Amino acid sequence: METTQSARRTDFQKTAATHGFTLLCLLGWSLLSWVSPSYQMPSPLAVLRGIGAFLSNLNLVEQLGFSLYHVGMAIFLSFLIGSILALIPYYFPVFRFAIHQRFGAFLGSFSGVGWALLAGMWFGINSISVIFAISAVLIPFALINLSSGLNNLDFELMEMGQSFSRNKIRKLRKIVLPLLYPYVFATIRLMFGVAWKVTLAAELFGGNSGLGYVINLARQDYDTTTIFVILFLIIFFVYCTERFFFKPIQTRFDEYAKI
């Protein structure tokens, strides 16, 4: 009984501290907006009204849809390319050093803004440039995570699969891919969060649509409220996706691992 009460007390303290910190941040934001010009720091109420106006404007909602399209396509392409790059040295070890120590290191160290600028010069100001820039940043995440999964495959299961069949495609489909499911999920989860951090910059420098493009227009008009609205919408969307989509799936994986 005492343990239950202590746990409830601890949960209440954590909740109170979390909400108290949030209210403190809102209070500080409100005070700062009172002493600053509106084009520098809009008030929380102005941002809340801006969110309502944004969601009621079909043209702006369409730009949100473009950003979702850019993120989705970039994750798909970068995951596909990263998977192929991870599988090549696994089945052909002679390419291990070239892919991991050369190509992977180059992609991992190159700036996302640099990719956005180069994409704009190569492909023009369009969605292709945006998707290319985001994908170039995400590929190393897929390559590293999936390579780690391949290096940690259950040796006994792989040996058992070797005794049943020597067909590499069949073993890949029946053994390797199921063992990689947790790594695949972790990779997509990581790439989703990183993609939104890169998307705004890619759309800002090389896009003619999307939320980054809207931010660029708002910046030119000193419309700081719209910039805050877009940032909060992205934060809210990423949080909801993490909380209600990725986290339940992660819980299922954790329960399966305990069996």
Side-chain angles (χ1 to χ4, degrees):
M1 185 68 178
E2 294 181 359
T3 303
T4 303
Q5 292 179 348
S6 177
R8 290 178 178 176
R9 190 181 304 112
T10 301
D11 291 339
F12 174 77
Q13 292 174 349
K14 291 180 179 179
T15 303
T18 301
H19 293 311
F21 179 76
T22 303
L23 291 175
L24 184 64
C25 291
L26 288 174
L27 178 61
W29 180 9
S30 299
L31 292 175
L32 188 60
S33 67
W34 287 341
V35 299
S36 302
S38 59
Y39 66 86
Q40 289 184 348
M41 183 60 66
S43 66
L45 183 59
V47 173
L48 185 62
R49 292 173 177 170
I51 292 175
F54 185 99
L55 296 177
S56 61
N57 189 320
L58 293 180
N59 291 329
L60 293 178
V61 173
E62 184 181 17
Q63 298 303 320
L64 175 60
F66 281 123
S67 289
L68 291 173
Y69 167 72
H70 294 156
V71 170
M73 284 298 299
I75 290 177
F76 171 76
L77 292 175
S78 58
F79 182 82
L80 179 62
I81 296 172
S83 301
I84 295 174
L85 291 175
L87 288 171
I88 289 175
Y90 179 75
Y91 286 105
F92 307 98
V94 68
F95 294 105
R96 185 182 302 275
F97 185 85
I99 290 179
H100 290 291
Q101 303 300 324
R102 291 292 183 264
F103 188 69
F106 168 74
L107 290 179
S109 61
F110 204 89
S111 169
V113 175
W115 283 121
L117 293 174
L118 287 177
M121 296 173 62
W122 291 341
F123 307 110
I125 307 301
N126 50 47
S127 293
I128 296 177
S129 296
V130 175
I131 295 172
F132 174 84
I134 303 172
S135 300
V137 175
L138 296 182
I139 287 174
F141 294 94
L143 173 60
I144 294 172
N145 282 12
L146 295 178
S147 295
S148 177
L150 290 169
N151 292 332
N152 289 280
L153 293 177
D154 192 319
F155 176 76
E156 293 182 354
L157 286 178
M158 297 300 298
E159 189 176 19
M160 181 187 68
Q162 184 71 14
S163 64
F164 280 100
S165 175
R166 296 187 179 275
N167 189 309
K168 292 185 178 182
I169 300 298
R170 187 178 183 186
K171 287 190 294 182
L172 174 66
R173 184 168 53 89
K174 295 290 186 178
I175 300 177
V176 176
L177 291 182
L179 291 176
L180 286 178
Y181 284 163
Y183 293 91
V184 169
F185 172 75
T187 301
I188 295 177
R189 187 177 185 180
L190 176 63
M191 292 168 66
F192 180 79
V194 175
W196 281 104
K197 298 178 182 179
V198 182
T199 298
L200 290 183
E203 292 175 342
L204 183 66
F205 289 104
N208 58 358
S209 61
L211 296 179
Y213 173 73
V214 177
I215 285 181
N216 190 27
L217 297 179
R219 177 186 61 83
Q220 298 175 20
D221 296 333
Y222 292 93
D223 186 4
T224 313
T225 300
T226 298
I227 297 176
F228 270 69
V229 167
I230 292 174
L231 295 179
F232 273 96
L233 285 175
I234 291 176
I235 293 172
F236 179 76
F237 178 75
V238 172
Y239 170 79
C240 289
T241 305
E242 176 71 22
R243 177 68 176 81
F244 300 108
F245 180 74
F246 287 120
K247 191 173 182 179
I249 297 177
Q250 183 65 58
T251 303
R252 289 288 187 90
F253 275 124
D254 293 340
E255 293 176 352
Y256 177 77
K258 294 178 181 179
I259 299 177

